[in-house]
């Protein structure tokens, strides 16, 4: 990106798809909204149509129903990370401090839960308004599953901390978790009822498709640059432009492609595979469940039901890719790992192959805070998803919309207090550090 004296911000790169997401492939086709063609005028231009951007658009339209909003999505809604993830909209942090869990760490936990539940409240509101069925939005909770004695211990410790915090949960022994999953590999489980499980592509399409005039969504419309125009901004796209008083950047790691948060975002990819449909009688347990690993960086697994039978989703492996792109080779290599995880967990499903494999980008910060706030006059950022991006980015989108309109709320006050993302060490130290850290944490997660 180039930031000039005239305040012109140019995208140095645009998002690239990696692999084919099984979530989109197993849905009915949807006609994308048309690309922007020609000049339009809006109160707010939103760059990015994922959780953050679409949630920001929704919140803007609720706070000011007359506000003209233009959402620019580089690709097709549902095909980016927001539609390609594992579909957990999580309310509780994955990790809690291992100290005595009082004072600062308790306050941090409660703040994190407040942020995530604010996101879930918005998602619930949309699901109720639009009558989404459980195949799209299912407030069924999640399991955290262990596969080793270290995982068992982690779940017990986490359960003890949830008890202290007054959070509802239930520990499951080996027999109980196997009765849910049908997998002989799991040794214990922890059920937490507050997570919402979505079909991510269907959910994000649903959020997009319920945006109504005067909110306009333009798909296949990357923002290529924006520059100051009077007191506002002119955003340029391949075949059009948006003249807007304000901009919300909701393009996650690609905020850096415009030059923002340079050297503060860690671009990390994660990978998923979805099996072909199999006869449900081949696997015991429940027909639908969703499980995150006991140890962070382990393997997420879901069983879902689609038209032709049941399928298993496996999500595992992280890689650091500062160019915000991965090639087919990386998707293939992660796929081999997924095959091993799958056969270890489901020996009865021998011969069931993976049908779809894909990857998606996330943007982390060293101090785990979002890349949030007013980053230029009338340019607001809801980027840097960190972990739990489905809930964190939804909440950041809500908070950015509120900040842009000067609306006061508890969520907004929390975001206003958050620190800025800290600067990463210079290259090559960031690359070496990030790769070593990911490798160490994946090793720590072991078979989990
Ligand atoms: C395989 C996988 C599994 C995951 N599982 C989970 C999970 O279960 N739960 C969870 O909480 N998180 C999960 N995540 C992470 C989660 O998907 C992300 O954190 C989340 O999508 C971030 O949302 P976002 O709106 O901030 O960014 P994104 O979803 O990345 O949306 C940003 C959008 O901006 C668009 N864009 C970029 N540049 C431009 C531009 N110049 N002009 C216009 N548009 C642009 C992109 O096309 C993209 O659609 C997973 C991720 C992956 C890849």
């Amino acid at each position: 990106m180039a930031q000039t004296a005239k305040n012109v911000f140019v995208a140095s790169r645009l998002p690239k798809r990696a692999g084919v997401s099984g979530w989109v492939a197993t849905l009915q086709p949807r006609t994308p909204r048309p690309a922007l063609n020609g000049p339009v005028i809006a109160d707010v231009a939103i760059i990015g149509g994922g959780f953050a951007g679409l949630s920001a658009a929704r919140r803007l339209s609720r706070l000011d129903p007359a506000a003209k909003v233009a959402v620019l999505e580089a690709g097709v809604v549902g095909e980016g990370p927001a539609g390609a993830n594992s579909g957990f909209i999580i309310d509780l942090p994955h990790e809690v401090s291992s100290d005595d869990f009082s004072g600062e760490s308790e306050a941090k936990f409660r703040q994190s839960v407040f942020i995530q539940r604010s996101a879930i409240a918005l998602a619930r509101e949309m699901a109720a308004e639009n009558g989404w069925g459980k195949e799209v939005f299912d407030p069924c909770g999640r399991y955290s599953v262990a596969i080793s004695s270290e995982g068992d211990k982690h779940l017990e410790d986490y359960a003890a901390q949830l008890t202290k915090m007054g959070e509802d949960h239930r520990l499951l022994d080996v027999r109980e978790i196997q009765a849910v999953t049908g997998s002989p590999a799991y040794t214990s489980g922890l059920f937490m009822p507050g997570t919402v499980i979505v079909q991510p592509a269907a959910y994000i399409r649903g959020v997009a498709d319920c945006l109504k005039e005067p909110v306009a969504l333009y798909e296949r419309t990357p923002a290529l640059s924006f520059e100051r125009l009077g007191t506002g901004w002119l955003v340029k796209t391949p075949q059009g432009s948006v003249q807007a008083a304000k901009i919300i950047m909701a393009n996650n790691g690609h905020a850096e492609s415009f030059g923002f948060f340079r050297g503060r975002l860690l671009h990390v990819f994660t990978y998923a595979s979805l099996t072909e449909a199999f006869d449900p009688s081949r696997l015991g347990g429940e027909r639908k469940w969703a499980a995150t690993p006991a140890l962070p960086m382990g393997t997420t697994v879901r069983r879902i039901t689609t038209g032709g039978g049941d399928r298993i989703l496996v999500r595992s492996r992280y890689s650091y890719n500062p160019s915000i792109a991965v090639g087919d080779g990386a998707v293939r290599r992660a796929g081999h790992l997924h095959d091993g995880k799958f056969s270890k967990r489901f020996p009865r499903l021998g011969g069931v192959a993976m049908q779809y494999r894909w990857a998606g980008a996330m943007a982390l910060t060293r101090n785990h805070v979002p890349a949030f706030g007013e980053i230029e006059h009338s340019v607001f950022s809801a980027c840097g998803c960190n972990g739990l991006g489905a809930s964190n980015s939804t909440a950041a989108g809500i908070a950015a919309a509120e900040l842009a309109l000067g609306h006061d709320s508890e969520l907004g006050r929390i975001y206003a207090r958050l620190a800025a993302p800290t600067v990463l060490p210079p290259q090559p130290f960031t690359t070496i550090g990030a790769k070593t850290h990911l490798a160490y944490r994946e090793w720590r997660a072991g078979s989990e």
Side-chain angles (χ1 to χ4, degrees):
M1 160 274 100
Q3 179 176 355
T4 70
K6 294 189 328 222
N7 290 315
V8 179
F9 298 84
V10 182
S12 59
R13 59 200 162 182
L14 293 171
K16 291 196 181 108
R17 272 178 65 186
V20 177
S21 158
W23 295 117
V24 176
T26 53
L27 281 179
Q28 293 297 320
R30 158 184 171 275
T31 307
R33 303 264 185 111
L36 177 63
N37 202 342
V40 294
I41 294 178
D43 297 301
V44 184
I46 298 177
I47 300 177
F51 290 109
L54 298 175
S55 306
R58 157 86 188 193
R59 187 71 183 126
L60 286 171
S61 70
R62 287 299 145 127
L63 289 173
D64 180 0
K68 278 198 77 173
V69 179
V71 184
L72 307 174
E73 166 51 45
V76 169
V77 164
E79 293 184 3
N85 57 75
S86 310
F88 292 71
I89 311 187
I90 293 178
D91 62 334
L92 299 172
H94 275 320
E95 280 184 278
V96 282
S97 151
S98 54
D99 60 19
D100 65 353
F101 201 57
S102 56
E104 202 183 324
S105 50
E106 178 177 338
K108 252 175 101 176
F109 178 93
R110 295 211 185 280
Q111 177 171 294
S112 166
V113 172
F114 181 86
I115 289 174
Q116 283 135 219
R117 290 200 174 136
S118 301
I120 290 176
L122 181 85
R124 260 183 212 285
E125 189 182 284
M126 290 185 288
E129 261 174 39
N130 296 287
W132 294 337
K134 287 194 174 163
E135 70 292 353
V136 178
F137 179 95
D138 193 351
C140 59
R142 81 179 150 115
Y143 296 89
S144 184
V145 287
I147 210 162
S148 65
S149 52
E150 198 190 349
D152 295 336
K153 168 88 174 58
H154 193 86
L155 290 186
E156 280 165 27
D157 292 348
Y158 189 49
Q161 291 182 329
L162 292 182
T163 302
K164 277 193 208 155
M165 300 306 292
E167 291 291 346
D168 197 9
H169 63 279
R170 184 166 56 89
L171 271 169
L172 288 84
D173 64 19
V174 60
R175 196 183 43 79
E176 291 169 314
I177 194 62
Q178 292 184 4
V180 173
T181 59
S183 164
Y186 294 127
T187 50
S188 64
L190 174 66
F191 177 69
M192 290 157 281
T195 292
V196 171
I197 301 297
V198 296
Q199 203 289 19
Y203 171 81
I204 207 73
R205 282 179 175 186
V207 178
D209 291 340
C210 67
L211 295 173
K212 300 275 178 300
E213 275 291 317
V215 179
L217 164 66
Y218 302 99
E219 295 179 58
R220 296 187 175 122
T221 303
L224 300 178
S225 68
F226 55 91
E227 61 197 57
R228 280 188 203 283
L229 185 70
T231 55
W233 295 95
L234 183 70
V235 186
K236 291 187 179 160
T237 68
Q239 294 149 33
S241 64
V242 185
Q243 188 183 327
K246 294 168 185 171
I247 293 176
I248 295 179
M249 304 281 293
N251 54 349
N252 210 12
H254 282 284
E256 192 172 350
S257 305
F258 284 88
F260 297 106
F261 305 105
R262 187 169 275 163
R264 291 169 194 261
L265 299 178
L266 282 162
H267 304 289
V268 170
F269 277 70
T270 190
Y271 301 78
S273 298
L274 184 68
T275 65
E276 61 194 352
F278 60 84
D279 177 351
S281 67
R282 289 193 60 187
L283 183 65
E286 296 173 8
R287 296 278 305 278
K288 188 179 181 192
W289 50 268
T292 49
L295 295 180
M297 312 288 288
T299 303
T300 299
V301 181
R302 279 181 66 174
R303 180 174 179 175
I304 62 169
T305 303
T306 54
D310 289 4
R311 296 175 190 258
I312 299 283
L313 171 93
V314 176
R315 201 258 350 119
S316 197
R317 171 103 181 101
Y318 293 92
S319 63
Y320 171 63
N321 305 89
S323 62
I324 327 187
V326 293
D328 292 345
V331 177
R332 240 189 342 266
R333 284 191 296 280
H336 289 312
L337 181 85
H338 294 163
D339 293 347
K341 304 271 183 196
F342 173 68
S343 57
K344 177 165 184 193
R345 284 160 178 76
F346 304 102
R348 286 182 55 185
L349 294 179
V352 174
M354 294 294 174
Q355 188 173 2
Y356 304 104
R357 301 195 192 274
W358 66 98
M362 301 187 295
L364 316 184
T365 60
R366 200 177 176 193
N367 51 340
H368 313 294
V369 294
F372 181 86
E374 187 167 4
I375 51 177
E376 274 287 325
H377 178 69
S378 296
V379 179
F380 304 87
S381 172
C383 299
C385 63
N386 285 291
L388 312 185
S391 37
N392 280 341
S393 288
T394 297
I398 298 170
E402 293 180 350
L403 182 63
L405 294 193
H407 177 83
D408 178 49
S409 75
E410 175 59 19
L411 186 70
R413 285 192 292 276
I414 289 175
Y415 273 86
R417 286 196 301 269
L418 292 175
T422 46
V423 179
L424 300 164
Q427 291 294 9
F429 300 108
T430 291
T431 297
I432 295 166
K435 290 192 170 178
T436 310
H437 183 74
L438 289 176
Y440 170 72
R441 295 201 46 176
E442 283 187 329
W443 171 78
R444 280 260 309 145
S447 52
E448 299 288 340

